[in-house]
Amino acid sequence: MWCNSVVSRPGIPPSKRLFDLTLTLLGSVVALPLMLVVALLVRWRHGAPVLFEQVRPGYQGQPFTLYKFRTMTEKRDAAGNLLPDAERLTALGRFLRAASLDELPELWNVLRGEMSLVGPRPLLMQYLERYTPEQARRMDVLPGITGWAQVNGRNNLSWESKFELDVWYVDHWSLGLDVKILFLTVWKVLRRADINEPGNATAREFMGTGKDG
């Protein structure tokens, strides 16, 4: 039931959960009309489905379905294989990523208690076996829509640097830090800073520490 999904989960501070719910519910007054406009644009440019859905690891590695607006087409080569990201990412998709509008459906994940507004970004399931024990500590808190790594370099950082920042956040979490990160996120979005990894349309796959060259 939805009412059961809004309560804090084991190991997650109730104050953080209340903070997330309060801001998300208030923000939805603005976000819902904007999401409708974005959904119509995505449907017109990319077709159906409007949402990108993917299973990601959440708190302590538990899988959940993450929702985002689609930023790429489904164009394939003659053999039926998807084309590289750079060839499928559209002008609309680049704009949505630059403005972080593609992340808006993740507010539903926050309401369900699967994500927080602030925390380490939820990555791919196959990364779980590639983390070192120290890097895996990034999953000791809920994943977030934005995080300490995102406001300190985002895609301009190496994977190892991102994970170090994620673990730092785990060890130094406070509501004050979350507020600071949210304000810094707005500033980063307005400046459209650190959106893409240099030379890549999207971030490179993490192959494991020492194998990510």
Side-chain angles (χ1 to χ4, degrees):
M1 297 292 292
W2 185 85
C3 60
N4 293 327
S5 71
V6 301
V7 298
S8 182
R9 295 192 175 186
I12 301 168
S15 58
K16 183 174 177 65
R17 183 70 182 130
L18 180 61
F19 177 79
D20 284 341
L21 284 173
T22 300
L23 288 189
T24 301
L25 290 172
L26 290 175
S28 295
V29 175
V30 174
L32 285 177
L34 182 58
M35 289 174 68
L36 177 60
V37 172
V38 173
L40 291 173
L41 288 173
V42 172
R43 181 66 175 83
W44 166 69
R45 182 63 183 86
H46 300 154
V50 168
L51 294 179
F52 169 80
E53 302 178 20
Q54 189 175 58
V55 176
R56 300 281 182 94
Y59 177 63
Q60 295 185 342
Q62 294 299 309
F64 73 98
T65 301
L66 175 139
Y67 299 96
K68 299 176 69 171
F69 283 120
R70 286 178 57 209
T71 58
M72 300 184 188
T73 67
E74 294 295 309
K75 291 183 178 178
R76 299 173 183 267
D77 60 23
N81 301 310
L82 285 172
L83 294 175
D85 291 349
E87 297 182 42
R88 296 189 295 119
L89 184 63
T90 66
L92 173 63
R94 284 191 292 271
F95 169 76
L96 294 179
R97 289 185 177 215
S100 293
L101 294 176
D102 61 318
E103 311 278 0
L104 287 175
E106 292 171 40
L107 293 174
W108 176 242
N109 292 119
V110 175
L111 289 175
R112 287 172 55 88
E114 298 161 334
M115 291 181 65
S116 174
L117 291 175
V118 180
R121 285 293 299 165
L123 301 175
L124 301 178
M125 292 299 295
Q126 60 261 37
Y127 290 3
L128 292 178
E129 61 185 21
R130 302 174 189 174
Y131 293 139
T132 66
E134 179 69 7
Q135 291 168 349
R137 292 182 54 226
R138 68 191 301 277
M139 293 180 293
D140 287 348
V141 297
L142 280 178
I145 295 178
T146 186
W148 190 234
Q150 279 61 52
V151 299
N152 282 283
R154 198 175 177 180
N155 287 328
N156 279 331
L157 298 171
S158 68
W159 280 116
E160 286 75 12
S161 295
K162 291 178 187 178
F163 298 153
E164 288 175 5
L165 290 167
D166 288 341
V167 173
W168 185 93
Y169 173 81
V170 171
D171 291 337
H172 296 84
W173 173 82
S174 69
L175 284 180
L177 180 59
D178 277 6
V179 171
K180 177 180 179 179
I181 291 171
L182 288 173
F183 275 111
L184 288 173
T185 298
V186 173
W187 175 243
K188 285 277 187 179
V189 169
L190 291 176
R191 293 178 59 211
R192 299 189 180 184
D194 307 322
I195 298 165
N196 294 323
E197 184 177 8
N200 293 283
T202 57
R204 291 173 299 150
E205 182 176 357
F206 173 63
M207 302 306 298
T209 297
K211 305 175 182 178
D212 190 37

